[in-house]
């Protein structure tokens, strides 16, 4: 995530519940994925779970970027 986006998230998350929820979800997916990356071996089920988490994280990031776009316009 770019520094400018992080600044916008910090600035607007208190007043925008959708932005806050998307950001919290993004961070939670990141924490879970980091736990898996620290393991020396993953079962096939865990590998599938990682793929699903990455897809969900990407979809959430896309939504997050859409929400941030309206704030980028107001910052100019």
């Amino acid at each position: 995530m770019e520094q400018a986006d992080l600044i916008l998230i910090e600035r607007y998350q208190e007043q925008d519940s959708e932005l806050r929820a998307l950001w919290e979800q993004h961070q939670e997916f990141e924490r879970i994925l980091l736990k898996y990356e620290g393991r020396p071996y993953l079962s096939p089920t865990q590998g599938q779970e990682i793929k699903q988490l990455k897809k969900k994280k990407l979809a959430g990031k896309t939504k997050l970027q859409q929400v941030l776009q309206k704030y980028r316009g107001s910052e100019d």
Side-chain angles (χ1 to χ4, degrees):
M1 186 85 34
E2 292 183 22
Q3 186 64 30
D5 290 341
L6 295 173
I7 291 169
L8 288 174
I9 291 168
E10 184 67 32
R11 186 174 298 153
Y12 294 108
Q13 71 177 335
E14 292 302 317
Q15 63 197 34
D16 188 331
S17 60
E18 180 184 18
L19 176 64
R20 182 175 50 251
L22 289 168
W23 179 240
E24 288 172 358
Q25 182 183 56
H26 180 81
Q27 290 179 309
E28 181 62 24
F29 288 152
E30 187 67 28
R31 279 191 288 275
I32 294 168
L33 289 168
L34 283 173
K35 276 195 231 176
Y36 278 125
E37 287 177 7
R39 295 182 179 183
Y41 172 77
L42 297 173
S43 70
T45 304
Q46 290 170 329
Q48 279 299 105
E49 187 173 342
I50 286 174
K51 286 180 185 178
Q52 290 174 346
L53 282 169
K54 286 181 177 183
K55 286 180 183 179
K56 288 178 183 179
K57 183 180 168 193
L58 182 58
K61 187 174 181 180
T62 300
K63 289 180 187 176
L64 186 61
Q65 290 295 330
Q66 290 171 348
V67 172
L68 287 174
Q69 188 60 40
K70 71 180 177 185
Y71 293 118
R72 283 188 203 108
S74 69
E75 291 284 310
D76 294 336

